[in-house]
Amino acid sequence: MPAYDTAAPEASPVKILIAGGFGVGKTTLVEAISEIDPLRTEERLTSAGVGVDDLDGVEGKTATTVAMDFGRITLTDAGVVLYLFGTPGQERFWFMWDDLLNGALGAIVLVDTRRLDRGFPAIDFFESRGLPFVVGANCFDGEQPYTTEEIGAALHLRDPDTPVLLLDARSGEDVRGCLLSLLDRLIAQARVTAVV
């Protein structure tokens, strides 16, 4: 008979940021994996953003995240609860990234290879702050014409061991794989730090 007098271990909270340029699929990614109804702070794009917001390549976009997205996923086997914070992608909201960074252990930088230049600010942000991250290349329309090696080379990542993964932000299974890759990276880094 099992011993019930021992309390079950509590899951460890882990804060993860989901970052990238405007219109790369951050909100979609959080929605695809969250076990709760995600918090979304989307507002309609209006004429006030004309000349401010760069809609090249996302002309059909009608709303944008103005603060953050928030979701949660419990990885019971790992004893971890991931709290996902999606950053706003438009430059005028980047001032919030430092606040969202507080307490984060890692990030997924989501990129769209049709507009790869929009991924550079997020990559620069995390590299300059030393926050571990993985790159997720969103496969829009289910296709990706480039290999992970080509994408990594084009992004000029400082750390050549930064994982670059192909994913469909609408697929919970793809997102889960990306999150597990990030957790592997965080665990490996923690082990190196513990040895030093």
Side-chain angles (χ1 to χ4, degrees), residues 7 18 20 30 35 75 113 117 128 151 160 162 187:
I18 312 299
V30 172
E35 65 194 18
L75 302 175
T113 57
D117 60 316
S128 69
I151 296 166
T162 299
I187 290 166

Side-chain angles (χ1 to χ4, degrees), residues 112-186:
D112 176 354
T113 57
R114 301 171 301 179
R115 301 172 294 122
L116 199 59
D117 60 316
R118 303 213 178 154
F120 290 124
I123 289 168
D124 291 345
F125 179 82
F126 295 121
E127 284 182 340
S128 69
R129 286 156 179 83
L131 190 75
F133 65 93
V134 299
V135 174
N138 199 358
C139 299
F140 287 88
D141 302 317
E143 297 180 9
Q144 183 55 257
Y146 304 102
T147 67
T148 56
E149 292 79 13
E150 290 170 325
I151 296 166
L155 291 172
H156 304 289
L157 300 167
R158 281 188 205 161
D159 180 356
D161 293 328
T162 299
V164 177
L165 307 153
L166 302 180
L167 67 100
D168 181 335
R170 300 167 298 182
S171 165
E173 196 60 36
D174 284 4
V175 174
R176 182 178 174 87
C178 197
L179 287 167
L180 290 173
S181 178
L182 175 60
L183 289 176
D184 287 344
R185 187 167 172 80
L186 295 175

Side-chain angles (χ1 to χ4, degrees), residues 9-183:
E10 296 236 356
S12 299
V14 176
K15 181 178 180 181
I16 302 294
L17 298 184
I18 312 299
F22 177 56
V24 297
K26 298 177 300 293
T27 298
T28 301
L29 184 149
V30 172
E31 288 176 343
I33 195 73
S34 181
E35 65 194 18
I36 60 171
D37 287 336
L39 168 71
R40 296 176 4 172
T41 60
E42 288 207 329
E43 293 295 333
R44 274 185 335 104
L45 290 169
T46 66
S47 60
V50 173
V52 176
D53 300 327
D54 180 7
L55 295 177
D56 285 342
V58 289
E59 292 83 4
K61 192 161 174 58
T62 60
T64 186
T65 300
V66 295
M68 67 176 182
D69 298 310
F70 174 77
R72 182 187 76 208
I73 181 169
T74 302
L75 302 175
T76 306
D77 293 345
V80 171
V81 177
L82 301 179
Y83 294 100
L84 308 175
F85 289 79
T87 65
Q90 293 166 278
E91 187 173 351
R92 61 186 163 133
F93 298 123
W94 288 352
F95 69 91
M96 290 185 242
W97 286 20
D98 276 315
D99 288 335
L100 289 171
L101 180 69
N102 188 26
L105 295 185
I108 294 175
V109 175
L110 199 57
V111 298
D112 176 354
T113 57
R114 301 171 301 179
R115 301 172 294 122
L116 199 59
D117 60 316
R118 303 213 178 154
F120 290 124
I123 289 168
D124 291 345
F125 179 82
F126 295 121
E127 284 182 340
S128 69
R129 286 156 179 83
L131 190 75
F133 65 93
V134 299
V135 174
N138 199 358
C139 299
F140 287 88
D141 302 317
E143 297 180 9
Q144 183 55 257
Y146 304 102
T147 67
T148 56
E149 292 79 13
E150 290 170 325
I151 296 166
L155 291 172
H156 304 289
L157 300 167
R158 281 188 205 161
D159 180 356
D161 293 328
T162 299
V164 177
L165 307 153
L166 302 180
L167 67 100
D168 181 335
R170 300 167 298 182
S171 165
E173 196 60 36
D174 284 4
V175 174
R176 182 178 174 87
C178 197
L179 287 167
L180 290 173
S181 178
L182 175 60
L183 289 176

Side-chain angles (χ1 to χ4, degrees), residues 1-5:
M1 190 164 181
Y4 292 108
D5 58 349

